[in-house]
Structures are given as structure tokens and as C-alpha cells.
Amino acid sequence: MQELVSVETVNAKTGKTKAALRKSRWFSTLIIVLFHFSISDRCRMAGTSRHDREMAINAKKQLTDCSDPIERLRLQCLARGSAGIKGLGRTFRIMDDDNSRTLDMKEFLKGLSDYGVLIEKEDAIKLFQHFDRDGSGYIDFDEFLLSLRPAMSNARKEVVLQAFKKLDKTGDGLITIEDLRGVYNVKHHPKYQNGEWTEDQVFRKFLDSFDSPDDKDGKVTKEEFLNYYSGVSASIDTDIYFIVMMKNAWKLD
């Protein structure tokens, strides 16, 4: 039988690691992120808000001393929180009317503008030309977004993909409400307990945390999951603490 994840088990796991990590300067960051993945909405939302606020502050500070166009675009995305890069991807995807997963110069510039990216037109053109390696006048926006994603070590990617696989029960490459049934126990969610939300609403709220604010479709792809966690990973220095956080939050072996 698949093991359920509840607030109590996540907090119990946190307690077991607390003594070992107390002296670490990353302990507070781990607790914030652990609470983010608790199904308790109050704890999760508080953790998300604080984590994203700290990420935004750090990204904005780095922007003042950054001149590289790619890094500046990356930092502007991270300044929007863990789902910032994913949000830019959604903006590009909306503009991809023919589903070619490519963008021409005009679409690229409009996508950056629509997403509110502050970049000189000359720098944006140079950015496009950098990724238009074959000179075709088009760029593959999946490759472009991949280059924006903050680097993660193989160990971090492996544990993120392990978590995705656990959630993607149907194996179709998408995490949906149906996938979450039997994985998450919503009985301890305060809004479920008081009758304000149904089980499906709790699940949808969880999935929405991975979505960009303007385009919540209730589905999370593997790439979107990786994009999200690349943002989380950017705020944690060492692999071991990131892996402990992921394993505790998702009850991974």
C-alpha cells in the first residue's frame, strides 16, 4: 500500500533532523521549504511566501551588479519566486499558436514584454541571436528555458525526479488531482476539516503552487516540476541539505 503523507509525518521527520541541522546556517531555509510541502495550507502558504520573498530580495540584489543578459533574465525570473521561470515558459507557450515550440524574434520580444521583463531591446536581440545558433530566425524555447534554469547537480535532479515519479501515479508525465489521491492525506487540512474546501479543492490548491499566477491549469509537467525546484535549489548551497529536505517532504526512500 502506498504510504500517505500527512502533516504529522512531515513534522515528525522534521523533528528527527532538527538536532543534526540546528547549527547549520541553512536550517531555517530547510524548515521554510519543509513547511511549504506540508499539506497544511497555513504552514505551506506561510513557508512559500517567506521563501519566495527571500529569493526575490536576493535576486534583486544580484541584479544591481549583473551585466550578463542571460543571467539578468534568470534573476528577473527568480525575483518572481520559485515558479518564475515556469511563468515565462507559459507566456512563450501561449504565443506558440502553431505548437512548433519555436519563437521568432517578434514573438520573443513580445513574450519578454508581456511577462514584464526589463531588458534593453538591443540586449534582447543579442539574447535571441545567441540562441538562434543556426541562424534560422527561430529559437527553441524549451532549450532557451533550460538554459535559464539555475544549475542543479545530478544528485539534486535525481531526487526531484524521484519525487515527480512518486506523484505521477499514472505515469503519463503529468501530475494531476487524480495522481494525488492516495498520495496526500487531506484530513488534517484546516479548510477540509471545517468544510470550506473539498478534497479536490485542497489538491488543486497544492497544484496551483507550481503554476504561474496568470495561468493555473491544474497540471504539472516534469519540466515544470524541475523548473520550480531549480528555483528552490538556488537558495540552498549544499546537496545534502537539499536532498534531506526533498526526502523528508515527500517521504522518499
Side-chain angles (χ1 to χ4, degrees), residues 12 38 57 90 129 132 145 177 182 227 231:
S38 165
I57 291 171
R90 293 273 181 153
Q129 291 172 340
D132 180 20
L145 292 173
I177 286 176
N227 284 340

Short mmCIF file of all heavy atoms in Angstrom, two decimals, residues 12 38 57 90 129 132 145 177 182 227 231:
data_model
loop_
_atom_site.label_atom_id
_atom_site.label_comp_id
_atom_site.label_asym_id
_atom_site.label_seq_id
_atom_site.Cartn_x
_atom_site.Cartn_y
_atom_site.Cartn_z
N ALA A 12 7.09 15.14 12.05
CA ALA A 12 7.89 14.17 12.80
C ALA A 12 9.26 14.02 12.17
O ALA A 12 10.28 13.96 12.84
CB ALA A 12 7.17 12.82 12.84
N SER A 38 4.17 20.79 3.38
CA SER A 38 3.16 20.23 4.27
C SER A 38 1.81 20.49 3.65
O SER A 38 1.56 21.54 3.09
CB SER A 38 3.24 20.91 5.64
OG SER A 38 2.08 20.63 6.38
N ILE A 57 14.32 39.01 -2.89
CA ILE A 57 15.26 40.00 -2.36
C ILE A 57 16.68 39.70 -2.84
O ILE A 57 17.40 40.59 -3.30
CB ILE A 57 15.20 40.03 -0.82
CG1 ILE A 57 13.85 40.60 -0.36
CG2 ILE A 57 16.35 40.85 -0.25
CD1 ILE A 57 13.60 40.46 1.13
N ARG A 90 5.31 29.66 -19.77
CA ARG A 90 3.87 29.70 -20.09
C ARG A 90 3.55 30.84 -21.04
O ARG A 90 2.73 30.69 -21.95
CB ARG A 90 3.08 29.87 -18.80
CG ARG A 90 3.14 28.70 -17.85
CD ARG A 90 2.09 27.69 -18.20
NE ARG A 90 2.12 26.56 -17.29
CZ ARG A 90 1.08 25.82 -17.01
NH1 ARG A 90 -0.06 26.07 -17.60
NH2 ARG A 90 1.17 24.79 -16.20
N GLN A 129 19.75 36.22 -30.72
CA GLN A 129 20.77 35.78 -31.67
C GLN A 129 21.71 34.74 -31.07
O GLN A 129 22.18 33.84 -31.77
CB GLN A 129 21.56 37.00 -32.16
CG GLN A 129 20.74 37.94 -33.03
CD GLN A 129 21.45 39.24 -33.34
OE1 GLN A 129 22.40 39.62 -32.64
NE2 GLN A 129 21.00 39.94 -34.37
N ASP A 132 19.76 31.55 -31.36
CA ASP A 132 19.47 31.19 -32.75
C ASP A 132 20.78 30.72 -33.40
O ASP A 132 21.34 31.37 -34.28
CB ASP A 132 18.88 32.40 -33.49
CG ASP A 132 18.56 32.08 -34.94
OD1 ASP A 132 18.43 30.88 -35.28
OD2 ASP A 132 18.47 33.03 -35.74
N LEU A 145 14.61 27.95 -22.19
CA LEU A 145 14.23 27.91 -20.78
C LEU A 145 15.15 27.00 -19.98
O LEU A 145 15.45 27.27 -18.81
CB LEU A 145 12.77 27.43 -20.64
CG LEU A 145 11.71 28.39 -21.18
CD1 LEU A 145 10.33 27.74 -21.15
CD2 LEU A 145 11.70 29.69 -20.39
N ILE A 177 -4.88 16.09 -10.21
CA ILE A 177 -5.63 15.78 -8.99
C ILE A 177 -5.76 14.28 -8.80
O ILE A 177 -5.62 13.76 -7.70
CB ILE A 177 -7.02 16.46 -9.04
CG1 ILE A 177 -6.88 17.97 -8.82
CG2 ILE A 177 -7.96 15.86 -7.99
CD1 ILE A 177 -8.18 18.74 -8.94
N GLY A 182 -4.53 9.22 -2.75
CA GLY A 182 -3.77 8.11 -2.22
C GLY A 182 -2.33 8.45 -1.90
O GLY A 182 -1.62 7.69 -1.26
N ASN A 227 11.69 22.97 -13.26
CA ASN A 227 11.86 24.42 -13.27
C ASN A 227 11.56 25.00 -11.90
O ASN A 227 12.27 25.89 -11.41
CB ASN A 227 10.95 25.07 -14.32
CG ASN A 227 11.45 24.89 -15.73
OD1 ASN A 227 12.63 24.62 -15.95
ND2 ASN A 227 10.56 25.03 -16.70
N GLY A 231 14.41 26.70 -8.85
CA GLY A 231 14.32 27.93 -8.07
C GLY A 231 14.54 27.68 -6.59
O GLY A 231 15.25 28.42 -5.91
#
